[in-house]
Amino acid sequence: MKASSHSKTSFAELEAEKAPSIWAEVARRFFANPLAVMGLVVASLIVFFALSADVLPLAERDFADFSEVLDLPSAKHPLGTDGLGRDFLSRIIYGARTSMVVGFSVPLISTLIGVPLGAFAGWRGGWFDFVLLRVIEIVTALPSILVAILLVSVWGSGIEKLILYMSLTGWAGGARFARAQFLQLREREYVLSARVLGASDLRMMFQHILPNASGPIIVGLMTSIPGAIFAEAGLSYLGLGINDPVPSWGKMVAQSQHYIQVYWHLAVIPTVLIAITMMAFTFVGDGLRDAFDPYM
């Protein structure tokens, strides 16, 4: 009995020592990737400005001065003013907050919905797996943007509703991925050994399978952020996303298209920022994927 207890303790200590080294190796691979590091720096700057918009010395984002409509960049307004005389720099930075709120909320909510469903289906199988897979196929076959447009037309727009609509159509991808991971990992030797030793289903799922599936799930979460940002910008451009007076980069592009030939910077700046933000998070997601699975 003592020898067995000592063996279990040694195994537990070995696992505890090995876990940090795995994450350290992932971090080493990630920071050895120049594009991933560059993407992380750019994404961190965007998140920083989005979070600190309220404390930065900016003009009021919604204050309209009709005597300064469409002013060119100056010391008072570094990026000029928009068609209502509002400070464009202030609205650009607050628009970054809108993109970050949607970009992080939609993948997170979709993951919280889809991953538990997919994990349970992959672990248990049977009728639940069959039904869930059919639902996933139906949801995946529907164009997510068209579904969001339909929901906006029926129940209205707004940042909270937009996050809800996009999450309702975005959970299927995470569920399919989690199901595939659990189907694959449940047949591994360490899971079979734990089952033979009498481990419960919850213990095998949360202590043996989920830690090994956490890396790909994190990668999937990160790579979903650019898609959510682009979807919000597209819907806002069509006038179906964020409502006034909340700034949105997509809405700012749409509002400036009437005078783009003269005041071209009002459309180019938010467009470039959307592209840079999506590229930065894409680089981070690709870097995490390569760090967790160097064979890719």
Side-chain angles (χ1 to χ4, degrees):
M1 291 294 291
K2 290 183 179 180
S4 176
S5 175
H6 177 72
S7 177
K8 291 181 179 179
T9 303
S10 300
F11 181 76
E13 291 175 353
L14 181 61
E15 288 295 314
E17 292 176 0
K18 189 168 64 174
S21 65
I22 294 174
W23 289 102
E25 183 65 18
V26 168
R28 185 194 64 79
R29 295 196 200 105
F30 179 85
F31 286 104
N33 186 333
L35 287 179
V37 174
M38 182 180 69
L40 180 63
V41 171
V42 174
S44 299
L45 287 173
I46 295 171
V47 172
F48 168 77
F49 281 107
L51 293 176
S52 57
D54 292 330
V55 299
L56 292 175
L58 300 172
E60 187 175 349
R61 68 175 191 183
D62 301 325
F63 179 72
D65 188 345
F66 296 107
S67 65
E68 298 181 338
V69 171
L70 295 175
D71 274 1
L72 294 174
S74 62
K76 183 178 180 181
H77 303 290
L79 293 181
T81 60
D82 64 4
L84 295 177
R86 299 173 295 190
D87 184 75
F88 199 65
L89 175 61
S90 177
R91 295 188 66 78
I92 280 288
I93 293 178
Y94 276 97
R97 174 179 292 183
T98 301
S99 294
M100 292 303 100
V101 169
V102 176
F104 282 101
S105 298
V106 172
L108 181 60
I109 296 174
S110 299
T111 299
L112 292 176
I113 296 173
V115 168
L117 290 174
F120 185 76
W123 176 256
R124 298 294 294 179
W127 67 268
F128 183 82
D129 180 40
F130 178 81
V131 172
L132 181 67
L133 198 55
R134 302 289 84 75
V135 174
I136 290 175
E137 290 171 351
I138 293 173
V139 174
T140 305
L142 297 174
S144 57
I145 294 295
L146 294 182
V147 173
I149 291 175
L150 175 63
L151 294 175
V152 168
S153 303
V154 175
W155 287 305
S157 58
I159 188 168
E160 298 87 358
K161 293 181 179 179
L162 189 63
I163 291 172
L164 177 61
Y165 301 155
M166 294 170 64
S167 300
L168 290 176
T169 58
W171 64 270
R176 183 192 294 273
F177 186 78
R179 174 184 176 274
Q181 287 290 311
F182 271 69
L183 279 173
Q184 177 185 8
L185 294 175
R186 73 178 185 179
E187 303 300 331
R188 294 290 178 88
E189 290 80 2
Y190 55 85
V191 178
L192 299 176
S193 300
R195 180 183 287 116
V196 171
L197 293 174
S200 64
D201 285 355
L202 289 178
R203 182 181 181 86
M204 286 186 286
M205 289 177 65
F206 286 98
Q207 291 194 8
H208 296 281
I209 296 183
L210 190 58
N212 289 281
S214 60
I217 291 174
I218 293 173
V219 173
L221 178 66
M222 186 60 63
T223 53
S224 299
I225 294 176
I229 293 173
F230 185 76
E232 179 275 319
L235 289 172
S236 296
Y237 178 84
L238 296 173
L240 301 172
I242 308 301
N243 294 327
D244 282 327
V246 179
S248 165
W249 288 343
K251 185 170 60 178
M252 295 167 76
V253 174
Q255 292 172 345
S256 62
Q257 64 184 354
H258 303 294
Y259 30 83
I260 190 173
Q261 293 183 347
V262 178
Y263 303 98
W264 55 268
H265 64 285
L266 298 182
V268 171
I269 292 175
T271 301
V272 170
L273 286 174
I274 292 171
I276 290 175
T277 303
M278 292 181 60
M279 188 177 299
F281 281 102
T282 300
F283 286 163
V284 173
D286 290 344
L288 286 174
R289 181 199 62 196
D290 296 341
F292 278 107
D293 190 356
Y295 295 103
M296 295 188 66

